[in-house]
Amino acid sequence: MTSQRPAPLQSVPVYRAADFVASDGANMGDELSFASELLLDDVYELSFGSAPLRLSILTLAPGRFQIAPDSEIGTAGATLHLDSALTFMTPDGQTSDTILLVEVDAEGNAEDIFMLPLGALTANLEYRLVGIDTVSALRKFAQVACVSFTRGTHITMASGEQRPIEDLQVGDRLLTRDDGVQAIRWIGHSTVRAVGEFAPICISAGTLNNDHDLIVSPDHRLFIYQREDRLGAGRSELLVKVRHLVNGDTVRVQDGGFVDYFQLLFDGHQIIYAEGIAAESMLIDSRTKAVLPPELSDAMGDVIPGHSDLPHAGLDVSEPLLNRPDAAELLRKASMR
């Protein structure tokens, strides 16, 4: 156990509240506002031509957020308040979940309001407000940051057995890259709509020398060992976010329907093997701790398990270096014997 690990920057697509205006109901004509000012059954519409902007967020501590300097929207250094989670329903009965974030100035006054959609929104479509949740917003926001495997993913056990992730149990021993055999401390499971930030990404069989498809959450990081530096990263060991490898062909977003997500937690952040690909386990930090069950979170207190000097720390590859359609193929060739 060591001191709490700060969370990495998180970049999410948001709309300004001014882009989402009530077209019917008690607040007709008003833009989206705080939970305390909202009324159920009011109808909102996204203005035509509105486009999401990237809001970069720094998590200072559980429940404490700040706008990062590289954000496309908001004031760098300003405090962000997580106001609520809202649920809207379209005329055809489909629901859309969003998270409301409020930028606050030094005096505690609201400067701006941002809406983080957890699924795609369509302009000029009626969205009726059917849910206002001020209790579990932090947990829902943390779920966006969690790295997750999908149902059916085969995980390498200590014995070499390939076991579907849904059949794993707490205490099962898995093979890790850095620390040999390690026991699972906790397994998280949730079923969410496979849209927006929750839409999983499929790495087709063979893309990274994997025998079967690997389907994971968008921000899941894969560990790549380059025997030849084909990417130009300047080092052999890399951590690569799956979302940065999407090419619409061998690495593609699977949008639509629902997805079962599973998180694996160990006593420290680990690199494990999923469908033969080295991939990270769940990282508990000040941003993701909110997804843990209360008893486990309380047992941890303000101390996060793991080591600040992990062998794979500092290996992340920046998005610009991967912004090419053949990035996955280059990594496959670079990792071949």
Side-chain angles (χ1 to χ4, degrees):
M1 296 284 187
T2 60
S3 59
Q4 182 165 295
R5 181 187 296 113
L9 290 179
Q10 182 176 10
S11 183
V12 294
V14 299
Y15 292 95
R16 290 188 185 277
D19 293 331
F20 207 59
V21 178
S23 59
D24 192 18
N27 288 319
M28 187 171 64
D30 294 340
E31 64 186 52
L32 194 65
S33 188
F34 320 105
S36 60
E37 297 181 355
L38 299 177
L39 292 173
L40 293 177
D41 287 331
D42 277 2
V43 176
Y44 289 80
E45 293 185 22
L46 181 66
S47 302
F48 181 78
S50 299
L53 296 173
R54 302 300 296 187
L55 176 66
S56 291
I57 302 172
L58 179 64
T59 305
L60 305 178
R64 291 184 55 212
F65 307 102
Q66 187 180 83
I67 299 178
D70 65 340
S71 183
E72 288 185 339
I73 192 171
T75 305
T79 297
L80 271 179
H81 170 65
L82 196 58
D83 180 77
S84 57
L86 306 177
T87 301
F88 295 90
M89 181 175 290
T90 58
D92 62 358
Q94 297 294 316
T95 57
S96 297
D97 292 321
T98 66
I99 293 176
L100 211 60
L101 297 153
V102 181
E103 178 184 333
V104 181
D105 64 19
E107 285 72 42
N109 301 312
E111 282 289 317
D112 211 342
I113 301 176
F114 311 114
M115 180 180 66
L116 164 60
L118 301 184
L121 297 179
T122 303
N124 298 332
L125 181 66
E126 292 186 345
Y127 291 92
R128 185 175 300 275
L129 182 60
V130 295
I132 303 173
D133 184 355
T134 58
V135 176
S136 61
L138 183 61
R139 180 179 175 82
K140 289 186 177 180
F141 183 66
Q143 286 178 329
V144 177
C146 285
V147 296
S148 307
F149 300 96
T150 57
R151 179 178 293 276
T153 300
H154 290 87
I155 305 295
T156 302
M157 310 294 291
S159 64
E161 174 194 352
Q162 302 296 303
R163 185 176 298 176
I165 193 167
E166 63 268 23
D167 293 340
L168 294 176
Q169 297 181 6
V170 172
D172 281 347
R173 294 159 64 81
L174 304 188
L175 179 65
T176 73
R177 176 185 178 271
D178 301 306
D179 295 317
V181 175
Q182 293 291 314
I184 301 173
R185 182 171 185 180
W186 176 75
I187 301 174
H189 174 227
S190 60
T191 301
V192 298
R193 288 175 58 85
V195 293
E197 292 298 291
F198 286 124
I201 293 175
C202 175
I203 303 169
S204 299
T207 301
L208 292 175
N209 302 311
N210 46 312
D211 291 333
H212 304 285
D213 290 356
L214 174 64
I215 307 173
V216 294
S217 57
D219 282 329
H220 215 126
R221 294 182 300 175
L222 308 179
F223 178 87
I224 306 291
Y225 180 82
Q226 294 192 109
R227 300 179 183 278
E228 179 184 352
D229 188 12
R230 290 177 176 261
L231 197 62
R235 58 185 185 275
S236 59
E237 297 184 340
L238 311 174
L239 280 175
V240 180
K241 277 189 179 181
V242 174
R243 72 161 70 241
H244 296 160
L245 296 179
V246 171
N247 55 26
D249 182 17
T250 59
V251 185
R252 61 191 184 279
V253 178
Q254 291 192 336
D255 188 274
F258 290 84
V259 59
D260 281 340
Y261 275 138
F262 293 83
Q263 302 88 38
L264 299 179
L265 177 66
F266 299 84
D267 282 334
H269 186 229
Q270 298 291 346
I271 301 296
I272 61 175
Y273 297 91
E275 302 296 356
I277 296 179
E280 68 174 330
S281 68
M282 183 177 177
L283 173 64
I284 290 295
D285 54 29
S286 54
R287 178 183 54 176
T288 58
K289 189 169 181 252
V291 304
L292 296 178
E295 61 274 12
L296 181 55
S297 180
D298 291 344
M300 286 183 173
D302 293 327
V303 178
I304 302 297
H307 303 280
S308 58
D309 57 346
L310 290 168
H312 44 274
L315 300 182
D316 292 88
V317 178
S318 63
E319 182 177 2
L321 200 59
L322 296 163
N323 189 21
R324 47 189 302 170
D326 62 343
E329 177 62 11
L330 287 178
L331 291 173
R332 184 188 70 81
K333 292 179 177 179
S335 63
M336 292 179 66
R337 295 184 182 277

